[in-house]
Amino acid sequence: MLETIWFALWGVLWTVYFVLDGFDLGLGSTFLFLAKSEDERRVAVNAMGPFWDGNEVWLVTAGGVTFAAFPAAYATMFSVLYVPLMLLLFALIIRGVSFEFRNKVDDSGWRDLWDRCLAVGSFLPALLFGVAFANIFRGLTFTVNPPQNDTLLDLLNPYGLLGGLLFVAFFVVHGALWLAAKSEGYLRRRAETTVKWAWPVEVVLAVAFLVASAFATPLWENYGKWPLLLVLPLLAVAGLVMLRVALARGRRWAAWGWSAAAIAGAVLWGVGGLYPRLFWSRRDIDPGATLTAHNAASSPLTLKIMLGVALVMVPIVIAYQTWVYLKFRDVVRPEDFREHDAY
């Protein structure tokens, strides 16, 4: 029972991370195309500046839960996915440095350099997360005896790339909606136009991924056994449809909320289909190497202690982040930079 609870929490933590960090990864990937002047670039960067590092807390938490609750899965993940995870780590470091450095020197060339680093450091994680999770859903070709892992080229298979493109599309729409709600004037109109162009691509990729998953993965098996789980893909479909309806009515925050629901439904659909597998070796290679929530879990005492800590600490983190989001909820304007220490 404890293993199942922690598997569910593991999935929820990744979902919260993708919902929250997804908008600043998407906005960071596209802000060079959306913002045409230095003032507009500063509006875009400051629209995500107060939130991005708090959002990363959920990435650290999801990684920490994998390490503490499922140590065998953590060890396997950093072995099998070593190259993409290192690329991901370097990209996130470059992204974090870019936020801090871009305004340290009053020179357009300096700021342009760090703006480009911010764009690359946002796009790569969006793509790599999608490639990694698609391959986890598809199954990896790792074996215990003899040791064998996928190479980076193996991970860049058509299904993995489709997952990467889907994540990029989800985050681009999510980020553009966030900028539309946090800006005004031409920048807001460009952000809304981006959503209108990117949304059909997002829908096509989502449908293609759902269909491809029926052939490339066993994810739909759980939905045949437990039909109640179908609420998860239905949540994703509702989010995709309603975000466009809300934007057409000028309800930008509602559109962003529906976009968050679409991402949450899509990620939870994958996690629900994966259960009880965490990292599974493709059945035609070595089914005995598959790690599940049961054979990869820590001791029951460890899981009980972790559950107690989570029940105390997670509400504190949620309360703090809610305060931050409310504190910085206003539209960002160029004149704000003259009064505050902005990016």
Side-chain angles (χ1 to χ4, degrees):
M1 184 63 181
L2 277 171
E3 293 90 345
T4 300
I5 291 173
W6 273 107
F7 181 91
L9 289 174
W10 175 79
V12 168
L13 287 170
W14 278 110
T15 302
V16 172
Y17 169 68
F18 288 133
V19 166
L20 293 183
D21 210 30
F23 77 79
D24 59 62
L25 288 173
L27 180 51
S29 301
T30 56
F31 84 107
L32 288 178
F33 306 102
L34 294 173
K36 303 299 183 184
S37 65
E38 171 58 16
D39 272 354
E40 289 186 347
R41 284 191 182 187
R42 294 195 72 184
V43 168
V45 173
N46 281 278
M48 50 183 162
F51 310 104
W52 75 271
D53 47 357
N55 297 337
E56 298 289 318
V57 168
W58 297 100
L59 174 61
V60 175
T61 307
V65 164
T66 311
F67 170 74
F70 306 107
Y74 183 87
T76 302
M77 179 176 72
F78 274 88
S79 174
V80 176
L81 301 175
Y82 181 79
V83 173
L85 287 176
M86 288 305 295
L87 288 173
L88 180 68
L89 180 61
F90 288 135
L92 290 174
I93 290 172
I94 290 172
R95 177 168 168 261
V97 169
S98 302
F99 274 107
E100 302 299 330
F101 278 16
R102 78 172 304 277
N103 214 34
K104 295 298 184 188
V105 177
D106 187 15
D107 178 78
S108 60
W110 173 270
R111 287 192 293 268
D112 189 59
L113 168 67
W114 291 111
D115 285 347
R116 292 177 187 278
C117 288
L118 176 58
V120 173
S122 299
F123 174 78
L124 273 182
L127 181 70
L128 290 172
F129 272 125
V131 170
F133 268 82
N135 276 285
I136 290 171
F137 296 157
R138 175 176 175 264
L140 300 158
T141 56
F142 66 94
T143 61
V144 176
N145 190 19
Q148 177 186 346
N149 289 339
D150 287 294
T151 66
L152 180 60
L153 289 178
D154 293 328
L155 300 177
L156 298 177
N157 55 74
Y159 184 74
L161 288 173
L162 181 60
L165 293 175
L166 177 61
F167 267 51
V168 170
F170 268 131
F171 293 167
V172 165
V173 170
H174 206 40
L177 285 170
W178 180 266
L179 183 61
K182 292 283 289 181
S183 63
E184 56 189 10
Y186 291 116
L187 188 57
R188 167 179 286 177
R189 285 197 281 276
R190 269 185 236 118
E192 291 178 343
T193 301
T194 299
V195 175
K196 291 172 184 173
W197 280 99
W199 180 79
V201 177
E202 181 185 21
V203 172
V204 169
L205 287 172
V207 172
F209 192 77
L210 286 176
V211 173
S213 297
F215 299 96
T217 77
L219 293 183
W220 285 107
E221 292 175 1
N222 282 351
Y223 293 87
K225 288 188 287 187
W226 303 305
L228 193 60
L229 287 176
L230 288 171
V231 70
L232 299 175
L234 290 177
L235 175 65
V237 172
L240 284 173
V241 174
M242 291 306 298
L243 83 83
R244 190 67 184 82
V245 173
L247 184 65
R249 294 175 178 173
R251 299 175 61 193
R252 299 176 187 88
W253 282 121
W256 185 85
W258 282 113
S259 175
I263 294 173
V267 177
L268 288 173
W269 165 78
V271 173
L274 198 62
Y275 179 82
R277 295 159 290 218
L278 282 160
F279 292 95
W280 69 286
S281 180
R282 293 172 63 186
R283 61 189 67 182
D284 56 335
I285 302 295
D286 185 3
T290 293
L291 296 172
T292 70
H294 305 293
N295 67 15
S298 294
S299 69
L301 178 60
T302 302
L303 297 180
K304 286 179 184 176
I305 293 173
M306 288 176 58
L307 195 58
V309 172
L311 289 173
V312 174
M313 296 305 298
V314 170
I316 294 174
V317 174
I318 292 174
Y320 171 73
Q321 286 212 296
T322 302
W323 176 80
V324 171
Y325 273 79
L326 291 175
K327 182 74 175 176
F328 294 96
R329 66 184 181 277
D330 294 334
V331 168
V332 180
R333 298 180 177 86
E335 52 266 31
D336 297 335
F337 309 142
R338 303 185 187 96
E339 300 175 3
H340 303 288
D341 184 19
Y343 293 100

